[in-house]
């Protein structure tokens, strides 16, 4: 595990990220005004994907998967935020979508995040001043303090499922801040579930894709609601001896938005 002094320093920096920078004030005000106007039925299940951020990495909102992005969403009244998690070389669970810092860093390190120690990752300045790679533990602790929860996606990285399960086993109080653990990666989902057979755990979902001829079946599972046996397929995946997930997440935009088009 990372040196405790590095972790303590990072925790202090994480708390500083909770202050809304002047550059984000207008967008934060917009979100805070929008959320109370949303229907309660929508708000109950609304998830801020990678926090409240700009997909084009604009400076008017925080960077994705940083504590600032989650803090703005929670402060505005959103309960759920999604994050992607990966491992550092010293086994720390960090929030990062890509395998590298190429998109987020002002000058990207030559190695993948998995090949760098936490201390090394924290040295790299991201594109927004003051933003740093964030430990999942830090985000969970803030979520716990404000009554919010994380939806955690395990990326396709060896060992991340077991590492997350072990983190929850060591810091049981953090489980309350996690609503869902999900992944496209069957191996990592199984590893997370195996470590939690004897313990309480968050809801676990298998991420699935819409059926497609060019879908890589070795990496992704398709889930077809138009197929006659979709319920049997779901029940099969729910069996502990097969996979043991609680359900599936369906990526099928054309079906889910059909009502809007009509």
């Amino acid at each position: 595990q990372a040196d405790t002094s590095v972790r303590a320093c990072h925790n202090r920096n994480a708390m500083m990220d909770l202050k809304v920078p002047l550059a984000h004030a207008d967008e934060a005000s917009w979100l805070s005004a929008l959320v109370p106007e949303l229907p309660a039925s929508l708000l109950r299940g609304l998830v801020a994907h990678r926090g409240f951020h700009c997909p084009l990495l604009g400076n008017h909102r925080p960077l994705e998967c940083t504590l600032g992005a989650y803090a703005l969403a929670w402060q505005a009244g959103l309960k759920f935020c999604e994050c992607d998690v990966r491992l550092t070389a010293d086994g720390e669970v960090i929030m990062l979508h890509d395998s590298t810092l190429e998109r987020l860093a002002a000058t990207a390190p030559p190695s993948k995040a998995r090949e760098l120690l936490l201390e090394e990752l924290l040295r790299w300045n991201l594109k927004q001043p003051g933003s740093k790679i964030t430990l999942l533990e830090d985000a969970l602790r803030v979520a716990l303090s404000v009554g919010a929860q994380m939806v955690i996606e395990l990326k396709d990285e060896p060992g991340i499922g077991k590492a997350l399960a072990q983190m929850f086993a060591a810091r049981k109080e953090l489980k309350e801040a996690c609503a869902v653990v999900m992944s496209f990666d069957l191996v990592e989902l199984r590893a997370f579930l195996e470590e939690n057979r004897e313990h309480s755990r968050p809801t676990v979902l298998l991420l699935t894709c819409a059926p497609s001829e060019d879908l890589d079946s070795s990496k992704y599972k398709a889930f077809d609601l138009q197929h006659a046996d979709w319920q049997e397929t779901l029940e099969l995946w729910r069996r502990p001896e097969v996979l043991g997930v609680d359900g599936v997440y369906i990526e099928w935009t054309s079906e889910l938005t059909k009502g809007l088009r009509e």
Side-chain angles (χ1 to χ4, degrees):
Q1 296 295 300
D3 186 274
T4 53
S5 62
V6 176
R7 179 187 290 279
C9 178
H10 189 264
N11 287 343
R12 289 195 297 272
N13 291 336
M15 295 305 105
M16 292 173 62
D17 285 347
L18 297 181
K19 297 179 181 178
V20 179
L22 184 61
H24 303 155
D26 287 346
E27 289 291 284
S29 296
W30 171 82
L31 184 63
S32 293
L34 171 68
V35 171
E37 300 299 319
L38 297 175
S41 58
L42 173 63
L43 194 56
R44 282 195 295 271
L46 196 61
V47 180
H49 185 244
R50 303 183 206 170
F52 182 58
H53 73 286
C54 174
L56 300 179
L57 304 182
N59 288 326
H60 57 296
R61 295 181 185 178
L63 284 180
E64 64 180 55
C65 289
T66 60
L67 198 57
Y70 298 112
L72 283 190
W74 292 328
Q75 289 168 1
L78 296 175
K79 180 176 182 179
F80 302 106
C81 284
E82 183 266 358
C83 70
D84 306 283
V85 293
R86 294 183 178 276
L87 286 175
T88 63
D90 45 349
E92 293 294 330
V93 182
I94 58 171
M95 299 191 299
L96 184 64
H97 178 272
D98 301 352
S99 61
T100 72
L101 296 185
E102 186 174 351
R103 280 193 311 114
L104 300 184
T107 303
S111 303
K112 291 185 177 182
R114 179 62 184 266
E115 298 167 351
L116 299 172
L117 301 173
L118 176 64
E119 184 176 10
E120 294 173 313
L121 281 167
L122 294 179
R123 292 194 196 120
W124 291 92
N125 293 319
L126 301 186
K127 290 181 177 178
Q128 288 186 8
S131 293
K132 295 289 184 182
I133 293 297
T134 305
L135 285 164
L136 174 64
E137 179 182 345
D138 288 342
L140 289 170
R141 291 197 182 281
V142 175
L144 198 61
S145 71
V146 298
Q149 289 185 303
M150 301 290 288
V151 174
I152 300 172
E153 179 178 344
L154 306 173
K155 301 308 290 183
D156 54 345
E157 189 163 280
I160 185 62
K162 183 175 182 178
L164 180 62
Q166 291 177 339
M167 188 195 78
F168 281 142
R171 305 172 184 88
K172 294 180 175 58
E173 72 280 6
L174 297 183
K175 288 184 182 182
E176 294 182 28
C178 178
V180 173
V181 172
M182 60 187 188
S183 185
F184 288 103
D185 193 310
L186 292 172
V187 173
E188 295 309 316
L189 269 187
R190 284 195 180 99
F192 178 80
L193 288 164
E194 283 298 326
E195 289 286 323
N196 280 279
R197 292 298 184 198
E198 305 300 323
H199 307 283
S200 62
R201 59 168 175 75
T203 296
V204 175
L205 300 180
L206 173 64
L207 297 179
T208 64
C209 299
S212 170
E213 291 183 0
D214 57 357
L215 182 69
D216 182 356
S217 59
S218 65
K219 188 175 182 180
Y220 301 108
K221 287 287 187 182
F223 193 72
D224 191 348
L225 283 174
Q226 294 183 343
H227 200 283
D229 65 353
W230 70 266
Q231 289 178 306
E232 287 79 1
T233 300
L234 180 56
E235 288 306 315
L236 181 67
W237 289 343
R238 281 176 169 167
R239 294 178 186 172
E241 68 272 17
V242 177
L243 186 55
V245 296
D246 299 301
V248 297
Y249 177 100
I250 304 171
E251 185 280 306
W252 201 351
T253 305
S254 60
E255 285 298 307
L256 297 177
T257 60
K258 184 185 295 183
L260 294 177
R261 294 197 308 274
E262 292 175 347

